[in-house]
Structures are given as structure tokens and as C-alpha cells.
Amino acid sequence: MTSRLHAAGAAQADAFAADGAVHLRGLFTDWIDELAAGVAHNEAQPSEFFDDNGTTDDAGRFWDDYCNWSRIAEFERFAFRSGIADLAAGLMRSETVQLFHEHVLVKEAGASRQTPWHCDAPYYFVDCPQTVSIWIPLDPVPLESTLRLIRGSHLWEEPVHPLDWTTMTGFYGDDEKTHSGGFQPTPDPDTQSDRFELLEWACEPGDAVAFHYRTVHGARGSSNLRRAFSLRMVGGDARYVQRPGRTSPPFTGHGMLDGQRLREDWFPMMPLAGRVS
Ligand SMILES: O=C(O)CCC(=O)C(=O)O
């Protein structure tokens, strides 16, 4: 498969900076078969991080897994040969792009389990203005089961307090109401629709929704199979942050300290083919 360059244009980078998310149509349609093979491989050989999010007795599971790119060749090829790093560089307006990890999220047909409203940054041990996750659906996604993002939430002063997706209790082992400062409670855009503007796009396979690690997002259940591959990258200003509790992914034994760059032997720099916009 040939490599394609996907440098983001200035208008897309402006929209990403202002809204915290953009929808990009048809960028990765050539890679659907490859990514779908990778997801099948992932399901057949799950990692220690595989999680069905408590949906074992459901009509359809909502399962996810991550940090498998170095053992699943399809994911590694996509990360390093699809041109996605150039897209990320353009959106973040960064001269460099570093791979944080990939994340597979599958809602089987009939999965009623919602993706809880959350923002990713507090689960991670990295934070910075230059962050992007690029969520790529491998199946058609109608509006009712697509990713839903709160416009501009990446600019909120306090990120949303992280919750454990299975127990819906504080992810750091704390309580949402009593947690120490620096976080705000999880919003509910469905009951507070006058306070939030949502970005939601029906998607075709190979579209991409790029969003900032601080953008608050969630999704409903899905009546159809909805496989998604999310690649998470950071730009040149990314720094390790010590969180008040565990992180996801855990990445134990890394030895990094507050304010350090992410170690490149674990989080590789991604070669860029194109000019940063
Ligand atoms: O696919 C979903 O339902 C959620 C995706 C998500 O939370 C993410 O990629 O960070």
C-alpha cells in the first residue's frame, strides 16, 4: 500500500484550535481493510488491557483494547505509513509528532452501553496544548451512535474529573464530589443542552474525527457494528505529568518525572513527510 500525505490545511487547524475537534471526510478509506484486519487480530489475541466494560451479558459488547501497535503489524503500518502523522502535525501546528498509543473501541451490533462523557487528558500522564486523537470508524456510523464532542471544551480551565468506565466511581480512587481541586464534575449535555454545543457527525468508513485530549466526548450505544481505531499523538510541547492516582494506559516503570519529555524509546517520534502548515 502506498503512503499518502494528509497534511492538514490552515482552515482545519484553525477549526481544531477553536472547537477542539474536526471531522475530516474520506482520508483513510484506503486503509480500512488493513485496520479491520488489525482489529480482528486484536480481538483474537487481546492484550492484558482488553476490557469489555462490563457488557458481557449484553446483546452486544462494548470492548476496547490499547497499546498493541508494536505487536499488531497492521496498526504499526498504519501509524507510520498512512500519512497520519502529517495530519496530526498540521492540526496541532507542531514541528514534531510523537506516538502516544493506539486505542481500539468496538461496539458490537446491539451494544446498549454508552461511552461515558469524559475527557482523555486526566487519564493520561501527559498533557500539553499540542495533543490529538484521531478516531477512525471502520463501519458506517449514523448520527445516533457517533462520537459526540462538546465544542470548545478543550479550553475549559478545569478538565473533567475522570471516572472508571465500569464502576463509574472516581478513577483515581477518589469520589467525584470530594476529589481534590483541579477538576470539574462530569457534565451532562443531554440534560443541560442550553449550556453546551455539541459536535456530532455521521461518518463513513475511513473518515476521521480529530479531537484534543481535553475535549469532552462520549457516545451512545450502537444498533450496528461500530469498530473504531483511535491513534493518539502529541506534539513538541508534550510533557510528563504526575497525576493524583493511576493512569490509563498505566505504562508502569517508565521512570519519567514531572515536566520531562516522553521517552522516545517507548513513545517514538513519527517521521513527517510534509511541511507543517
Ligand atoms: O468510540 C467511542 O465510543 C469513544 C472513543 C473515545 O472515547 C476515544 O477515542 O477517546
Side-chain angles (χ1 to χ4, degrees), residues 92 94 96-100 126 128 130-132 213 232-238 262:
M92 295 188 290
S94 176
T96 61
V97 178
Q98 201 169 358
L99 177 58
F100 188 35
V126 63
C128 63
Q130 291 171 331
T131 63
V132 67
Y213 289 178
R232 315 205 187 277
M233 292 157 283
V234 294
D237 62 5
L262 295 190

PDB file of all heavy atoms in Angstrom, residues 92 94 96-100 126 128 130-132 213 232-238 262:
ATOM      1  N   MET A  92      -2.119  20.139  15.043  1.00  0.00           N
ATOM      2  CA  MET A  92      -1.560  20.635  16.309  1.00  0.00           C
ATOM      3  C   MET A  92      -0.663  21.849  16.082  1.00  0.00           C
ATOM      4  O   MET A  92      -0.240  22.479  17.036  1.00  0.00           O
ATOM      5  CB  MET A  92      -0.727  19.538  16.993  1.00  0.00           C
ATOM      6  CG  MET A  92      -1.512  18.341  17.445  1.00  0.00           C
ATOM      7  SD  MET A  92      -0.508  17.200  18.454  1.00  0.00           S
ATOM      8  CE  MET A  92       0.625  16.518  17.267  1.00  0.00           C
ATOM      9  N   SER A  94       2.433  21.599  15.107  1.00  0.00           N
ATOM     10  CA  SER A  94       3.660  21.177  15.792  1.00  0.00           C
ATOM     11  C   SER A  94       4.686  20.763  14.747  1.00  0.00           C
ATOM     12  O   SER A  94       4.343  20.179  13.724  1.00  0.00           O
ATOM     13  CB  SER A  94       3.350  19.988  16.709  1.00  0.00           C
ATOM     14  OG  SER A  94       4.540  19.509  17.301  1.00  0.00           O
ATOM     15  N   THR A  96       6.913  18.558  15.394  1.00  0.00           N
ATOM     16  CA  THR A  96       7.196  17.137  15.637  1.00  0.00           C
ATOM     17  C   THR A  96       5.926  16.431  16.105  1.00  0.00           C
ATOM     18  O   THR A  96       5.008  17.065  16.661  1.00  0.00           O
ATOM     19  CB  THR A  96       8.275  16.953  16.733  1.00  0.00           C
ATOM     20  OG1 THR A  96       7.783  17.531  17.952  1.00  0.00           O
ATOM     21  CG2 THR A  96       9.587  17.600  16.346  1.00  0.00           C
ATOM     22  N   VAL A  97       5.892  15.126  15.879  1.00  0.00           N
ATOM     23  CA  VAL A  97       4.767  14.308  16.345  1.00  0.00           C
ATOM     24  C   VAL A  97       5.341  13.053  16.988  1.00  0.00           C
ATOM     25  O   VAL A  97       6.221  12.396  16.427  1.00  0.00           O
ATOM     26  CB  VAL A  97       3.837  13.915  15.175  1.00  0.00           C
ATOM     27  CG1 VAL A  97       2.708  13.015  15.671  1.00  0.00           C
ATOM     28  CG2 VAL A  97       3.262  15.149  14.504  1.00  0.00           C
ATOM     29  N   GLN A  98       4.820  12.741  18.149  1.00  0.00           N
ATOM     30  CA  GLN A  98       5.271  11.564  18.891  1.00  0.00           C
ATOM     31  C   GLN A  98       4.050  10.671  19.102  1.00  0.00           C
ATOM     32  O   GLN A  98       2.954  11.156  19.431  1.00  0.00           O
ATOM     33  CB  GLN A  98       5.836  12.047  20.235  1.00  0.00           C
ATOM     34  CG  GLN A  98       6.780  11.088  20.908  1.00  0.00           C
ATOM     35  CD  GLN A  98       7.507  11.743  22.092  1.00  0.00           C
ATOM     36  OE1 GLN A  98       7.327  12.936  22.387  1.00  0.00           O
ATOM     37  NE2 GLN A  98       8.304  10.957  22.780  1.00  0.00           N
ATOM     38  N   LEU A  99       4.248   9.367  18.908  1.00  0.00           N
ATOM     39  CA  LEU A  99       3.134   8.429  19.087  1.00  0.00           C
ATOM     40  C   LEU A  99       2.943   8.135  20.570  1.00  0.00           C
ATOM     41  O   LEU A  99       3.883   7.710  21.242  1.00  0.00           O
ATOM     42  CB  LEU A  99       3.443   7.129  18.324  1.00  0.00           C
ATOM     43  CG  LEU A  99       2.412   6.007  18.450  1.00  0.00           C
ATOM     44  CD1 LEU A  99       1.033   6.437  17.985  1.00  0.00           C
ATOM     45  CD2 LEU A  99       2.878   4.778  17.669  1.00  0.00           C
ATOM     46  N   PHE A 100       1.722   8.372  21.068  1.00  0.00           N
ATOM     47  CA  PHE A 100       1.432   8.017  22.466  1.00  0.00           C
ATOM     48  C   PHE A 100       0.952   6.562  22.493  1.00  0.00           C
ATOM     49  O   PHE A 100       1.616   5.697  23.022  1.00  0.00           O
ATOM     50  CB  PHE A 100       0.434   9.019  23.036  1.00  0.00           C
ATOM     51  CG  PHE A 100       0.197   8.877  24.524  1.00  0.00           C
ATOM     52  CD1 PHE A 100       1.225   8.514  25.375  1.00  0.00           C
ATOM     53  CD2 PHE A 100      -1.051   9.123  25.065  1.00  0.00           C
ATOM     54  CE1 PHE A 100       1.008   8.371  26.749  1.00  0.00           C
ATOM     55  CE2 PHE A 100      -1.280   8.995  26.428  1.00  0.00           C
ATOM     56  CZ  PHE A 100      -0.250   8.611  27.266  1.00  0.00           C
ATOM     57  N   VAL A 126       0.318  12.530  30.359  1.00  0.00           N
ATOM     58  CA  VAL A 126       0.918  13.564  29.519  1.00  0.00           C
ATOM     59  C   VAL A 126      -0.128  14.652  29.307  1.00  0.00           C
ATOM     60  O   VAL A 126      -1.319  14.380  29.256  1.00  0.00           O
ATOM     61  CB  VAL A 126       1.387  12.972  28.173  1.00  0.00           C
ATOM     62  CG1 VAL A 126       0.230  12.430  27.358  1.00  0.00           C
ATOM     63  CG2 VAL A 126       2.187  13.982  27.369  1.00  0.00           C
ATOM     64  N   CYS A 128      -0.486  18.832  27.460  1.00  0.00           N
ATOM     65  CA  CYS A 128       0.137  19.937  26.743  1.00  0.00           C
ATOM     66  C   CYS A 128      -0.894  20.479  25.783  1.00  0.00           C
ATOM     67  O   CYS A 128      -1.873  19.807  25.486  1.00  0.00           O
ATOM     68  CB  CYS A 128       1.361  19.481  25.956  1.00  0.00           C
ATOM     69  SG  CYS A 128       1.024  18.294  24.653  1.00  0.00           S
ATOM     70  N   GLN A 130      -0.493  20.765  22.632  1.00  0.00           N
ATOM     71  CA  GLN A 130      -0.409  20.049  21.350  1.00  0.00           C
ATOM     72  C   GLN A 130      -0.694  18.558  21.546  1.00  0.00           C
ATOM     73  O   GLN A 130       0.219  17.742  21.713  1.00  0.00           O
ATOM     74  CB  GLN A 130       0.967  20.256  20.716  1.00  0.00           C
ATOM     75  CG  GLN A 130       1.169  21.697  20.248  1.00  0.00           C
ATOM     76  CD  GLN A 130       2.591  21.984  19.823  1.00  0.00           C
ATOM     77  OE1 GLN A 130       3.533  21.381  20.318  1.00  0.00           O
ATOM     78  NE2 GLN A 130       2.744  22.926  18.911  1.00  0.00           N
ATOM     79  N   THR A 131      -1.994  18.226  21.532  1.00  0.00           N
ATOM     80  CA  THR A 131      -2.397  16.822  21.635  1.00  0.00           C
ATOM     81  C   THR A 131      -3.470  16.555  20.588  1.00  0.00           C
ATOM     82  O   THR A 131      -4.261  17.447  20.272  1.00  0.00           O
ATOM     83  CB  THR A 131      -2.984  16.483  23.015  1.00  0.00           C
ATOM     84  OG1 THR A 131      -4.185  17.252  23.226  1.00  0.00           O
ATOM     85  CG2 THR A 131      -2.003  16.756  24.138  1.00  0.00           C
ATOM     86  N   VAL A 132      -3.514  15.324  20.095  1.00  0.00           N
ATOM     87  CA  VAL A 132      -4.617  14.971  19.195  1.00  0.00           C
ATOM     88  C   VAL A 132      -4.841  13.458  19.211  1.00  0.00           C
ATOM     89  O   VAL A 132      -3.894  12.674  19.204  1.00  0.00           O
ATOM     90  CB  VAL A 132      -4.363  15.470  17.754  1.00  0.00           C
ATOM     91  CG1 VAL A 132      -3.197  14.766  17.073  1.00  0.00           C
ATOM     92  CG2 VAL A 132      -5.622  15.343  16.901  1.00  0.00           C
ATOM     93  N   TYR A 213      -6.981  16.147  23.533  1.00  0.00           N
ATOM     94  CA  TYR A 213      -7.105  15.293  24.720  1.00  0.00           C
ATOM     95  C   TYR A 213      -8.020  15.905  25.793  1.00  0.00           C
ATOM     96  O   TYR A 213      -8.478  15.200  26.683  1.00  0.00           O
ATOM     97  CB  TYR A 213      -5.739  15.038  25.373  1.00  0.00           C
ATOM     98  CG  TYR A 213      -4.776  14.140  24.618  1.00  0.00           C
ATOM     99  CD1 TYR A 213      -3.509  13.903  25.134  1.00  0.00           C
ATOM    100  CD2 TYR A 213      -5.121  13.540  23.412  1.00  0.00           C
ATOM    101  CE1 TYR A 213      -2.606  13.096  24.477  1.00  0.00           C
ATOM    102  CE2 TYR A 213      -4.216  12.737  22.743  1.00  0.00           C
ATOM    103  CZ  TYR A 213      -2.959  12.514  23.269  1.00  0.00           C
ATOM    104  OH  TYR A 213      -2.050  11.712  22.614  1.00  0.00           O
ATOM    105  N   ARG A 232      -3.429   8.102  19.038  1.00  0.00           N
ATOM    106  CA  ARG A 232      -3.221   9.225  19.960  1.00  0.00           C
ATOM    107  C   ARG A 232      -1.780   9.710  19.845  1.00  0.00           C
ATOM    108  O   ARG A 232      -0.849   8.920  19.994  1.00  0.00           O
ATOM    109  CB  ARG A 232      -3.534   8.780  21.381  1.00  0.00           C
ATOM    110  CG  ARG A 232      -4.845   7.968  21.464  1.00  0.00           C
ATOM    111  CD  ARG A 232      -5.438   8.041  22.814  1.00  0.00           C
ATOM    112  NE  ARG A 232      -6.578   7.155  22.973  1.00  0.00           N
ATOM    113  CZ  ARG A 232      -7.825   7.431  22.590  1.00  0.00           C
ATOM    114  NH1 ARG A 232      -8.099   8.567  21.964  1.00  0.00           N
ATOM    115  NH2 ARG A 232      -8.810   6.572  22.820  1.00  0.00           N
ATOM    116  N   MET A 233      -1.632  10.986  19.559  1.00  0.00           N
ATOM    117  CA  MET A 233      -0.308  11.564  19.314  1.00  0.00           C
ATOM    118  C   MET A 233      -0.153  12.860  20.102  1.00  0.00           C
ATOM    119  O   MET A 233      -1.149  13.457  20.506  1.00  0.00           O
ATOM    120  CB  MET A 233      -0.151  11.833  17.808  1.00  0.00           C
ATOM    121  CG  MET A 233      -0.076  10.555  16.988  1.00  0.00           C
ATOM    122  SD  MET A 233      -0.562  10.787  15.260  1.00  0.00           S
ATOM    123  CE  MET A 233      -2.341  10.865  15.395  1.00  0.00           C
ATOM    124  N   VAL A 234       1.090  13.255  20.294  1.00  0.00           N
ATOM    125  CA  VAL A 234       1.371  14.528  20.977  1.00  0.00           C
ATOM    126  C   VAL A 234       2.384  15.317  20.160  1.00  0.00           C
ATOM    127  O   VAL A 234       3.154  14.747  19.382  1.00  0.00           O
ATOM    128  CB  VAL A 234       1.899  14.321  22.417  1.00  0.00           C
ATOM    129  CG1 VAL A 234       0.838  13.696  23.306  1.00  0.00           C
ATOM    130  CG2 VAL A 234       3.169  13.487  22.431  1.00  0.00           C
ATOM    131  N   GLY A 235       2.389  16.624  20.388  1.00  0.00           N
ATOM    132  CA  GLY A 235       3.322  17.500  19.690  1.00  0.00           C
ATOM    133  C   GLY A 235       4.530  17.827  20.555  1.00  0.00           C
ATOM    134  O   GLY A 235       4.763  17.229  21.616  1.00  0.00           O
ATOM    135  N   GLY A 236       5.293  18.805  20.084  1.00  0.00           N
ATOM    136  CA  GLY A 236       6.587  19.112  20.688  1.00  0.00           C
ATOM    137  C   GLY A 236       6.523  19.633  22.106  1.00  0.00           C
ATOM    138  O   GLY A 236       7.530  19.582  22.831  1.00  0.00           O
ATOM    139  N   ASP A 237       5.360  20.147  22.549  1.00  0.00           N
ATOM    140  CA  ASP A 237       5.319  20.686  23.915  1.00  0.00           C
ATOM    141  C   ASP A 237       4.806  19.665  24.941  1.00  0.00           C
ATOM    142  O   ASP A 237       4.533  20.022  26.088  1.00  0.00           O
ATOM    143  CB  ASP A 237       4.508  21.986  23.974  1.00  0.00           C
ATOM    144  CG  ASP A 237       3.051  21.798  23.587  1.00  0.00           C
ATOM    145  OD1 ASP A 237       2.640  20.638  23.369  1.00  0.00           O
ATOM    146  OD2 ASP A 237       2.320  22.801  23.507  1.00  0.00           O
ATOM    147  N   ALA A 238       4.709  18.399  24.542  1.00  0.00           N
ATOM    148  CA  ALA A 238       4.192  17.370  25.466  1.00  0.00           C
ATOM    149  C   ALA A 238       5.159  17.119  26.613  1.00  0.00           C
ATOM    150  O   ALA A 238       6.364  16.980  26.396  1.00  0.00           O
ATOM    151  CB  ALA A 238       3.974  16.063  24.706  1.00  0.00           C
ATOM    152  N   LEU A 262       8.306  12.916  26.920  1.00  0.00           N
ATOM    153  CA  LEU A 262       8.049  11.473  26.941  1.00  0.00           C
ATOM    154  C   LEU A 262       9.238  10.742  26.339  1.00  0.00           C
ATOM    155  O   LEU A 262       9.792  11.171  25.319  1.00  0.00           O
ATOM    156  CB  LEU A 262       6.787  11.150  26.127  1.00  0.00           C
ATOM    157  CG  LEU A 262       5.474  11.705  26.661  1.00  0.00           C
ATOM    158  CD1 LEU A 262       4.300  11.100  25.886  1.00  0.00           C
ATOM    159  CD2 LEU A 262       5.297  11.467  28.150  1.00  0.00           C
TER     160      LEU A 262
END
